[in-house]
Amino acid sequence: MIRNHLTIALRSFFNGKGYSFINVTGLAVGMACTILLFMVVQHETSYDLSQSNFERIYRVETENIKENHTYPGTYTGMGNALRADLPEAEIIAPVMQTGGRTMAAGEKKFRESFVFADNALFRTLDYTWIAGSPARALSQPGTIVLTRAYAEKYFGTVDALGKTIRVDNAQDLTVTGVVENYRVTTSFPFNMLVSFGTVKQLDPGFDDNRWNGWNDNYQVYVLLKKGIDAAQLTGRFEDVVLKYMGKEMLADKRFKLNRLSEIHYAGNLGGRTANTGLLKTLSAIGVLVLLIACFNFINLSTARAFKRAKEIGIRKAIGSNRKALIYQFLAEAGLITFFAGVISLILSILLLPVLAAALAIPLTLDDLLTPQIALFTLVLLVLTTLLAGVYPALRLSGMAPIWTLKNNAVPRTGQWFSMREGLVVVQFTVSLVLICCAMLIDRQLDFFRNADLGFNKSAIITVGLPDNKPEKLQTLRNELTRSAQIKDVSFSFNSASAESNWMQGMEYREGPKVVQVKSQMKMGDSHYLDTYGIRMLAGEPLKDSDTTNFRILVNEIFLGRIGITNPRAAIGQRVYFGDGNEFATIAGVVRNFHVNSLHQKIDPTLIQIVPNNYYQAGIKLQNENASTASIQTALADIEKAWTAVYPDHLFEYSFLDETLAKAYQSETRTARLIEAATILALLIASMGLFGLATFTAEQRTKEIGVRKVLGASVSSVVGLLSKDFLKPVVLAIAIASPVAWYLMNQWLQNFEFKISISWWLFLAAGLLMTAIALLTVSFQSLRAAMLNPVKSLRSE
């Protein structure tokens, strides 16, 4: 019986080559899309789950209650505090990341970032040791543990114990351990782990018991004892605030534990985070594209049924029961799904590198050839067969044999016809929603690219400073300004806009009235405003000599917070650092500029001269539209100056506009994915519409012939055939427009600065969809309308 079903299925497959091609292609594209997106979601949701104690590992996070924002980092005093005051913890493992260091082993030099840690990290996370002892490897200052890859990178072998790596030509580190390379799916991709005892040797000013400022690069991980519920430790952390920060901080600060399995979705030291919204979008896209392909199968199967009406009637007349017919049609669906599955795997192999590059996810062919993906593909084949085959099988097997033998056609019941139209409406609704979303996301990205940031980001090259001694910086400035390609140079803590910023609490006191303002501190020299093009509104710029008299510049928002409306009236006013007696005098007011990405509002901002905190050089080129050749000349001049001042350090640079653009990588990837999904959905839906138009034209061959004999023109016949297919498209436009508006309005809430949703966007999308539908059906409509009526009537 099974052999008979397969034989008939193969015969039906090759008899309807066009129908089979459309179904196989549509299902293959849908299944490939689903498989690839499943791989992405599986990869992003598997981070850190391989850790043996992952259910007991938590990160201590700092919540600013007033801002309603949680930071992944914490105070450097937290590690010591928890060791003393959290008996529920089995292990406390602090980790601090640092970057921009020149690491040298003999003649080999590399610019690296690494982390400071202690042996507690090796008892918290799983490491496979090649050499060294996890109990002693980081016990002493000046020690380092390497991964296999980095041992081979620096020494050409994993036999690296006792060998030396020099940091910034100032500190020697002895290799005391080598571990296996980390898994790809980890939030701890650390190739170099340096003992915490080394921190003060590299940074003498480091305070390991600080409670008045924190850095997201300093994080504390806790391995709780078995049976301890993290939710019950809230009181413990309130005690930490009271003991180390004071009762008044309870209203502003809160510490909480976040599961290890959740830190991949927030800031982590690995540098890669997953966007939960994007993962949900990917899952929805995969399901929708597959459903559109299945709807094609259903529509084409039912549309093609009139050709098989007599076959079904004869089978029933000679004794075939409905169950056997259902198995027969499911076998045909299964055969088509099988061929589609084979093609989908080929497409997945070809498209995987493109997807991995677009999403910046380390997926390889090995990730596709896993038991999990094989099982998912098998389940997908079965589900697709059932989704695509059950309704046609039930519909076709339920036809009355007398009716089909008498009429050689399938009865056109209102319900059946509306079902087919309903599926077309769903297909084009999904496609139209995707078109609207893609158009609006692209407009928002254009807004990001072209928004007035309040400063000039063009033609600025940023370079990290390994040494900020005044004499070094002056020499570097002299060397750089000799180049005809360089207009200005500024030394600062960071750029005018940056993701990492220094937050400072300030107070404005006017008699008994005290206004507290949490501000961003921009520390830059006297060239800062000119280099970044920040405009003054009142007062005078800062001088490099303003290091002793605490003169500062403030932005307009800062003035608004302290209740001053006239910028000139602010000149000479005092603002106090925190709640202390140390104050600064407002020397000038600058125009508002975006210190953060456009996701966030503009913060109150101060600009101050603080040479000890200059860690970056901003280099403004002479020509904002410089040619590639002049840029290369400028880079060569910058590297030459750098090498003259910092001969023992490697030169690295970045363009400010490219750095700022990285803040919108998630949105850019979302846009590209939705655009790709839109193309796929439109392709599948259009193929299905083309198939339906083909079968409709075949069904109405005699009607068209009669109409032409009676004098109907080609255009009237084309209009008649096209009209039926435009109805579901128009209905799809009416349904999709409010849905797309709602989804995009929700998405735009993620941004403090955003575009407005214009009505013409939905009109443009609707016109585009109508044009695609007309182009899809017009070929078959025109072909049917131009057929000789004599042949049309004879064919019946």
Side-chain angles (χ1 to χ4, degrees), residues 173-240:
L173 301 176
T174 302
V175 179
T176 54
V178 179
V179 295
E180 279 293 353
N181 297 329
Y182 54 82
R183 289 174 175 265
V184 173
T185 52
T186 181
S187 298
F188 307 92
F190 306 147
N191 286 296
M192 310 177 98
L193 298 104
V194 179
S195 62
F196 250 116
T198 314
V199 177
K200 287 194 174 183
Q201 295 179 351
L202 294 173
D203 183 8
F206 177 75
D207 183 358
D208 63 354
N209 198 33
R210 183 177 178 181
W211 288 96
N212 62 348
W214 76 88
N215 191 323
D216 284 341
N217 286 331
Y218 182 87
Q219 300 181 4
V220 175
Y221 292 86
V222 177
L223 177 66
L224 295 181
K225 294 177 180 177
K226 293 182 179 179
I228 299 297
D229 183 3
Q232 298 175 352
L233 300 179
T234 304
R236 292 286 189 187
F237 286 103
E238 289 180 355
D239 293 340
V240 168

Side-chain angles (χ1 to χ4, degrees), residues 26 192 206 294 305 369 380 432 464 503 777 780:
M192 310 177 98
F206 177 75
C294 291
L369 306 176
L380 186 64
L432 190 59
M503 303 304 296
V777 302
Q780 285 299 333

Side-chain angles (χ1 to χ4, degrees), residues 746-760:
Q746 293 296 113
W747 181 75
L748 287 172
Q749 301 312 307
N750 296 320
F751 310 102
E752 187 70 26
F753 299 90
K754 50 186 175 285
I755 62 172
S756 58
I757 303 177
S758 304
W759 62 268
W760 61 262

